């Protein structure tokens, strides 16, 4: 407490400012609620030392002080506490314990009561000692003065005490029981106060929470409104309801749009790739391929089968032809014609096939739609799936024709990059196809040629009038027959 | 329920009044009432005050802009002059220049005229209110003395009451207040001259008396034991309370005096004077502090007593904290009392 030397007021001020800056002192707690202080005091006082409890803390009775319901140590500890307001020092404890054993507890009580510090403490604390005990203490004092009298007193007093000891014990137990019961009742009372106050605080906190929540919701609404405003193009009227509906219907919208896109692609194919019959005429040029592949088996798979022209030709050629396409309209169109077509992704379809199971795998105008990693894997997977002697055919626009490379390739907005014949050929070879053959088809009409025989014209014609499509045909090497 | 809370506004002069007004507002809001604070500009000067009294009396607070107001609570002069059938006043203080601070010997004719008008204004409006509470026992006492009006004292907690703490005492007396004549720091410095123990004194705060107090300290050669700290922030104030031996509050005729309550919250005994007003309602002499005559020697004795028996000072401080707690001073109780007053005219 007073362990701080006062070394100048300037230093004191500096230390206080420091203490304030550190904020080291903890608040004593909420000033509300008297119960808190009393409950803690109560707990500290009686929880650890139930032998200290008194029926009336301001007026301990002789029976309570003699404490015959407790052993000598506790009797002495309580006596120190009630009469001197402190704990026993080892020396004093030893002295009084011996005295108690020799002359009885009453003797010790009267001795201590007659000491200077005890009367000072009792006076200061305004503790009342019963008149009977006072008289006894005075008698004790007088007896001490005369030697012969003292001897007699020292004999009589313990005897008298022993006579009553039984009764003292009962009374002490009784009083302590009542005191404990009262203390419990008091504690219960304090606890009820505490619970009531905590309940009230809980309610206040709930209110605070409610207010915060309301605020929070308000901010959320405001934020959503701002987002909506931002999403609207400048100048367009903000219509909360409609934009919300749009958001809600987003999945439905996507499916509708997908359906429309499929229909668009079907129409696009009709317009730009020609009628089904024209295509059939084109596919006729692969006759040599399907005829030679037929030796490796009768199963064929067409990736991106479209309207099914190729499937028809293969079926007529005796193949068990299957097709896959990602366009549901195309798939439905093929299924209507009785072809075995599923709505599937090309790579997934290949992965699902067993090794060495197909004689012919084809992909007309799909390679230019695929990212390179997918194309790479597709060519590899096809090799696995093909039976030895089987063939992979991939047809794609030919960028050797400048018009195709710079213009018509981009009619189809789902095309990625033009693929050069050399690249594709290398890709086949890399995966083990041999031999690999390139077929070029569909040169532009003759009249588009520059009708001159000069080297310049020839060069230009070479670039502008090259065939517009090409195909790479790779053969999976037939198994070598051991000789 | 719509409650209109009326108070004054004095731009850029913050003080205890502001804490009080905001505290009521917050507490009423917390209890779920719809409250609006109506602050009316206040300006010193006889002519201004007469004008402000008239203005307030003409205000429509029952139905402003066709919005019906259910109840009105007024805190300050002259805002309590508004007319409403459901009106409760919680008087911070009256216009003190016309009451306990009025001196007929030095008053100008204008001041005398104002005094008559203010008295009539107070008698008229405070009587019309459904119930009148006073900020403190002292304010209630003055109301009874000057206007023969009964008011019930209603206390509220000081600012950030929960932050006050008690720590080791570092042997000094603390007095935080504005350095103004009514706060009587000079008396305390003079008292330091008479002390026999090495107790020291720390005075926090700014004010018009800074120079003269500094001179007084020098004159008595007390530079080593008395210090003017100037402005202290809230943290510093808390630390200064926490480490003090005792808190001095010898001001003249305070209305309420947060310092007493703050000292009690920090578990420190309070030294105050018999004529200090508000503080004397809280300090129990010989239990939680000292109430001494406003004389240097008496104050010196009290400070010496605190220093000489520091254990006792600590005990008294703890008693003070318990005493504070027993008063049940809280904003919840304030709301309970104020709103309860509307329920019926209670005997006071």
């Amino acid at each position: 407490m007073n362990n701080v030397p006062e070394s100048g007021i300037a230093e004191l001020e500096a230390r206080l400012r420091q203490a304030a800056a550190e904020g080291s002192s903890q608040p004593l707690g909420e000033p509300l609620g008297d119960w808190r202080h009393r409950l803690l005091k109560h707990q500290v006082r009686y929880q650890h030392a139930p032998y200290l409890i008194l029926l009336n803390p301001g007026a301990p009775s002789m029976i309570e002080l003699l404490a015959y319901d407790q052993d000598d140590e506790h009797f002495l500890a309580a006596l120190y506490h009630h009469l001197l307001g402190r704990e026993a020092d080892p020396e004093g404890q030893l002295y009084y314990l011996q005295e108690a054993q020799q002359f009885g507890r009453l003797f010790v009580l009267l001795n201590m009561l007659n000491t200077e510090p005890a009367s000072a403490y009792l006076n200061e604390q305004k503790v009342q000692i019963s008149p009977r005990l006072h008289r006894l203490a005075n008698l004790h004092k007088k007896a001490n003065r005369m030697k012969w009298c003292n001897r007699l007193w020292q004999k009589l007093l313990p005897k008298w005490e022993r006579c009553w000891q039984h009764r003292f014990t009962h009374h002490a137990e009784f009083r302590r029981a009542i005191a404990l019961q009262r203390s419990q009742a008091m504690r219960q009372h304090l606890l009820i106060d505490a619970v009531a106050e905590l309940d009230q605080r809980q309610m206040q906190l709930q209110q605070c929470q409610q207010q915060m929540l309301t605020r929070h919701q308000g901010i959320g609404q405001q934020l959503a409104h701002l987002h909506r405003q931002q999403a609207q193009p400048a100048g367009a009227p903000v219509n909360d309801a409609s934009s919300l509906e749009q958001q809600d219907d987003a999945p439905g919208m996507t499916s509708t749009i997908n359906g429309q896109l499929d229909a668009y692609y079907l129409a696009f194919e009709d317009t730009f790739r020609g009628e089904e019959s024209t295509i059939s005429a084109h596919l006729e040029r692969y006759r040599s391929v399907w005829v030679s592949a037929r030796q490796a088996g009768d199963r064929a798979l067409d990736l991106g089968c479209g309207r099914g022209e190729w499937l028809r030709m293969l079926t007529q050629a005796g193949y068990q032809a299957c097709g896959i396409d990602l366009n549901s309209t195309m798939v439905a169109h093929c299924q209507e014609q009785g072809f075995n077509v599923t709505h599937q992704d090309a790579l997934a379809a290949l992965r699902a096939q067993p090794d060495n199971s197909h004689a012919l795998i084809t992909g007309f105008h799909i390679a230019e739609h695929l990212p390179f990693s997918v194309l790479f894997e597709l060519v590899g997977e096809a090799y696995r799936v093909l039976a030895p002697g089987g063939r992979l055919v991939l047809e794609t626009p030919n960028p050797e024709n400048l018009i195709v490379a710079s213009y018509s390739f981009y009619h189809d907005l789902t095309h990625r990059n033009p693929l050069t014949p050399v690249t594709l050929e290398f890709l086949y070879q890399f995966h083990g196809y041999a031999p690999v053959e390139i077929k070029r088809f569909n040169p532009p009409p003759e009249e588009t040629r520059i009708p001159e025989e000069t080297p310049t014209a020839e060069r230009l014609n070479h670039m502008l009038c090259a065939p517009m499509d090409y195909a790479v045909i790779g053969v999976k090497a037939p198994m070598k027959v051991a000789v | 329920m719509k409650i209109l809370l009326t108070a004054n506004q004095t731009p850029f002069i913050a003080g205890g009044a502001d804490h009080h007004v905001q505290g009521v507002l917050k507490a009423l809001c917390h209890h779920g009432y719809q409250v609006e604070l109506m602050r009316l500009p206040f300006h010193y000067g006889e002519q201004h005050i007469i004008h402000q009294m008239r203005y307030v009396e003409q205000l429509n607070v029952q139905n402003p802009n066709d919005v019906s107001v259910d109840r009105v609570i007024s805190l300050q002069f002259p805002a309590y002059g508004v007319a409403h059938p459901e009106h409760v006043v919680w008087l911070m203080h009256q216009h003190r220049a016309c009451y306990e601070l009025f001196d007929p010997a030095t008053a100008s004719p204008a001041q005398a005229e104002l005094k008559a008008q203010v008295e009539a204004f107070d008698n008229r409006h405070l009587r019309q209110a459904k119930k009148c509470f006073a900020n403190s026992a002292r304010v209630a006492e003055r109301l009874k003395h000057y206007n023969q009006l009964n008011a019930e004292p209603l206390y509220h907690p000081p600012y950030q009451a929960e932050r006050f703490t008690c720590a080791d005492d570092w042997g000094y007396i603390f007095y935080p207040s504005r350095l103004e004549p009514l706060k009587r720091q000079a008396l305390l410095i003079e008292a330091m001259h008479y002390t026999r123990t090495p107790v020291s004194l720390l005075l926090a705060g700014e004010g018009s008396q800074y120079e003269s107090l500094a001179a007084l300290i020098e004159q008595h050669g007390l530079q080593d034991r008395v210090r003017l700290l100037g402005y202290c922030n809230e943290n510093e104030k808390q630390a200064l309370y926490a480490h003090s031996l005792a808190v001095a509050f010898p001001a003249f005729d305070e209305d309420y005096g947060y310092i007493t309550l703050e000292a009690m919250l920090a578990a420190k005994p309070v030294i105050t004077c018999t004529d200090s007003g508000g503080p004397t309602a809280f300090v129990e002499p010989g239990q939680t502090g000292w109430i001494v005559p406003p004389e240097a020697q008496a104050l010196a004795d009290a400070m010496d007593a605190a220093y000489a028996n520091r254990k006792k000072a600590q005990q008294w401080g703890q008693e003070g904290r318990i005493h504070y707690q027993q008063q049940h001073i809280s904003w919840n109780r304030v709301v309970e009392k104020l709103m309860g007053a509307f329920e019926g005219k209670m005997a006071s």
Side-chain angles (χ1 to χ4, degrees), chain B residues 227-288:
Chain B
R227 199 136 175 116
L228 294 171
L229 301 173
Y231 168 79
C232 288
N233 64 32
E234 283 300 317
N235 283 346
E236 288 171 334
K237 206 172 96 178
Q238 305 286 347
L240 281 157
Y241 268 116
H243 289 288
S244 67
L245 168 64
V247 170
F249 194 12
F252 174 72
D253 205 4
E254 281 285 319
D255 303 324
Y256 185 37
Y258 288 126
I259 295 165
T260 328
L261 304 174
E262 289 172 347
M264 289 163 101
L265 281 165
K268 301 295 174 183
V270 180
I271 302 170
T272 187
C273 295
T274 46
D275 63 352
S276 289
T280 58
F282 291 100
V283 178
E284 295 286 332
Q287 276 178 46
T288 67

Side-chain angles (χ1 to χ4, degrees), chain B residues 52-217:
Chain B
Q52 285 156 22
M53 286 194 292
R54 283 199 199 121
Y55 174 73
V56 163
E57 284 176 321
Q58 288 162 10
L59 272 178
N60 173 8
V61 293
Q62 284 191 52
N63 242 340
N65 303 301
D66 294 327
V67 175
S68 78
V69 170
D70 300 308
R71 287 165 184 192
V72 175
I73 297 172
S74 296
L75 302 175
Q76 285 174 304
F77 169 84
Y80 51 68
V82 295
H84 195 285
E86 294 293 322
H87 187 198
V88 163
V89 177
W90 184 17
L91 187 63
M92 226 177 260
H93 54 75
Q94 294 171 275
H95 188 55
R96 298 183 65 184
C98 295
Y99 290 101
E100 74 274 12
L101 300 181
F102 183 82
D103 182 2
T106 57
S108 67
Q111 283 169 335
E113 169 57 24
L114 179 70
K115 178 181 161 63
Q117 289 209 27
V118 168
E119 271 176 0
F121 181 89
D122 281 359
N123 287 335
R124 192 160 62 243
H125 295 295
L126 293 176
R127 254 177 249 282
Q128 271 169 13
K130 207 157 185 190
K131 162 108 188 173
C132 193
F133 291 99
N135 198 24
S136 71
R138 182 69 193 124
V139 170
E141 206 177 291
R142 289 189 207 132
L143 210 52
K144 179 84 189 160
H145 179 254
Y146 295 107
N147 307 75
Q148 293 76 50
L149 271 163
N150 289 321
E152 185 185 333
L154 177 58
Y155 303 133
H156 66 282
Y159 181 63
Q160 292 191 331
E162 69 287 348
R163 287 192 60 196
F164 284 86
T165 136
C166 180
D168 297 351
D169 92 68
W170 289 353
Y172 61 89
I173 308 286
F174 180 48
Y175 182 23
S177 190
R178 282 178 294 117
L179 307 179
E180 300 299 339
L182 278 180
K183 305 293 179 188
R184 294 201 295 216
Q185 281 93 352
L187 184 63
L188 212 53
I189 293 170
E190 242 162 82
M192 282 299 286
H193 180 60
Y194 291 100
T195 52
R196 292 183 302 274
T197 60
V199 67
S200 46
L201 173 66
L202 297 181
L203 299 168
E206 295 169 306
S208 63
Q209 301 298 298
Y210 188 91
E211 304 298 331
S212 66
L213 291 174
L216 192 64
I217 292 168

Side-chain angles (χ1 to χ4, degrees), chain A residues 1-4 6 8-10 12-13 15-17 19-21 24-34 37 41 124-125 200 204 207-208 211, chain B residues 30 161-162 164-166 168-170 172 200 202 223-227 229 231-232 235-236 239-240 243 265 307 310 314 321-322 324-326 330 332:
Chain A
M1 272 151 234
N2 181 18
N3 45 12
V4 182
E6 278 117 290
I9 200 158
L12 176 65
E13 187 187 340
R15 288 186 57 210
L16 280 162
R17 302 251 187 219
S24 52
S25 31
Q26 292 292 313
L28 290 173
E30 295 277 327
L32 284 166
D34 184 32
H37 182 88
K41 206 164 132 190
E124 190 192 303
Q125 296 292 317
Q200 201 194 347
Q204 284 171 5
Q207 274 177 3
C208 285
Q211 282 173 359
Chain B
H30 256 291
E162 69 287 348
F164 284 86
T165 136
C166 180
D168 297 351
D169 92 68
W170 289 353
Y172 61 89
S200 46
L202 297 181
Q223 296 94 320
D224 292 341
R225 293 175 52 217
V226 181
R227 199 136 175 116
L229 301 173
Y231 168 79
C232 288
N235 283 346
E236 288 171 334
L240 281 157
H243 289 288
L265 281 165
Y307 193 89
R310 290 162 80 154
Q314 268 174 31
R321 190 169 164 87
I322 294 168
Y324 178 91
Q325 285 165 337
Q326 284 167 351
S330 75
N332 281 342

